[in-house]
Amino acid sequence: MDYAALRKSMVDEQLIQRGIKDKKVLWAFYKVERHRFVPKDISDNAYADFPLAIGAGQTISQPYMAALMTECLAFSGSERVLEIGTGSGYQTAILALLSKEVFSIERIGPLAKKTEALLKELAYVNIKIKTDDGTLGWPEESPFDRIIITAAASEVPLPLTEQLKDGGKIVLPLGEASSQVLTVISKKEDRLELSQVCPCVFVPLIGKFGMRQS
Ligand code: SAH
């Protein structure tokens, strides 16, 4: 498999043609070897235009959705970022290239440990991972400039808005278990402004401030 060629087509056809413009975001998606983050038996599909199962009932997001969420966060490079839902670690690696430091929380212990080992092997030095309920945030490392939640919530978890700096942004899928709207929240003088980006479907955020049970 010529993964570099597949990666270039992914960036050209799935990201640029659909309107991703931020040059640094495109550079990061060109650079990170997505096939390293999916189970070996499906690595030939790593650059395909859909989400993939990564075990434990979880998924690695479609490349376009990961790129769109990243672009929504408008990185300058100096940010401290909180990620909820480490999963495969692919999005984590992208964030690590575009910001100063990434703090990532995954609720499934074995998945967090596996991903932590992979990111270490790939020599990422500005990522810290912990196993916990991410809806509670990471108070010891707060406040954060950016927060990304890669699982669906019915409301923005309150502890996360409290751990966001003034002028900061959160991106998350907001809605019901079966369908959500990708939403960007900007904090300005302690007010939250919401803007809706597009419909999306993510696995549920499970935790104290996660998806309401219906
Ligand atoms: N960004 C990941 C997406 C993984 S799917 C990737 O592209 O690979 C969403 C992840 O969120 C799952 O791994 C799930 O276990 C995790 N998750 C769900 N609720 C969580 C919570 N409250 N805290 C931390 N992680 C959570």
Side-chain angles (χ1 to χ4, degrees):
M1 273 282 155
D2 184 352
Y3 289 120
L6 290 176
R7 202 153 54 245
K8 181 161 187 332
S9 319
M10 175 192 86
V11 172
D12 292 347
E13 290 159 26
Q14 301 174 35
L15 309 190
I16 296 174
Q17 284 189 25
R18 288 197 192 122
I20 303 294
K21 289 195 178 67
D22 186 321
K23 289 272 182 300
K24 284 198 204 140
V25 173
L26 294 170
W27 164 78
F29 278 78
Y30 188 67
K31 195 159 159 64
V32 177
E33 299 189 316
R34 185 170 161 96
H35 63 277
R36 298 295 308 267
F37 294 85
V38 307
K40 278 216 168 57
D41 56 327
I42 55 165
S43 59
D44 286 1
N45 268 335
Y47 296 94
D49 194 11
F50 41 78
L52 297 167
I54 54 169
Q58 304 306 322
T59 53
I60 174 171
S61 302
Q62 178 194 24
Y64 173 68
M65 188 50 69
L68 185 60
M69 291 179 91
T70 309
E71 190 171 61
C72 285
L73 291 176
F75 287 106
S76 71
S78 60
E79 291 86 0
R80 287 164 57 84
V81 186
L82 177 66
E83 178 187 42
I84 314 300
T86 317
S88 68
Y90 176 65
Q91 177 82 66
T92 323
I94 296 280
L95 297 169
L97 291 183
L98 297 170
S99 67
K100 184 157 175 254
E101 255 184 308
V102 184
F103 300 87
S104 187
I105 310 177
E106 170 55 56
R107 62 178 281 277
I108 302 174
L111 187 55
K113 287 282 156 241
K114 197 171 139 207
T115 297
E116 189 175 27
L118 174 66
L119 290 165
K120 200 169 165 204
E121 185 192 324
L122 297 175
Y124 287 91
V125 291
N126 58 339
I127 297 174
K128 245 168 115 177
I129 294 182
K130 76 165 175 175
T131 303
D132 204 347
D133 173 4
T135 69
L136 304 172
W138 198 325
E140 303 81 7
E141 297 292 355
S142 68
F144 301 98
D145 302 286
R146 299 287 186 269
I147 300 178
I148 177 169
I149 309 177
T150 63
S154 19
E155 280 159 42
V156 191
L158 185 63
L160 301 185
T161 62
E162 290 171 351
Q163 292 172 32
L164 181 68
K165 275 190 203 163
D166 192 37
K169 289 180 193 299
I170 304 180
V171 64
L172 82 164
L174 207 53
E176 295 161 24
S178 57
S179 73
Q180 307 96 37
V181 176
L182 187 68
T183 305
V184 179
I185 291 163
S186 308
K187 188 171 183 177
K188 290 184 186 147
E189 286 154 16
D190 283 328
R191 276 185 316 114
L192 299 179
E193 278 176 14
L194 268 70
S195 88
Q196 298 191 323
V197 183
C198 65
C200 59
V201 181
F202 278 76
V203 297
L205 183 69
I206 299 169
K208 186 161 180 217
F209 296 89
M211 179 63 74
R212 266 191 305 269
Q213 307 291 324
S214 48

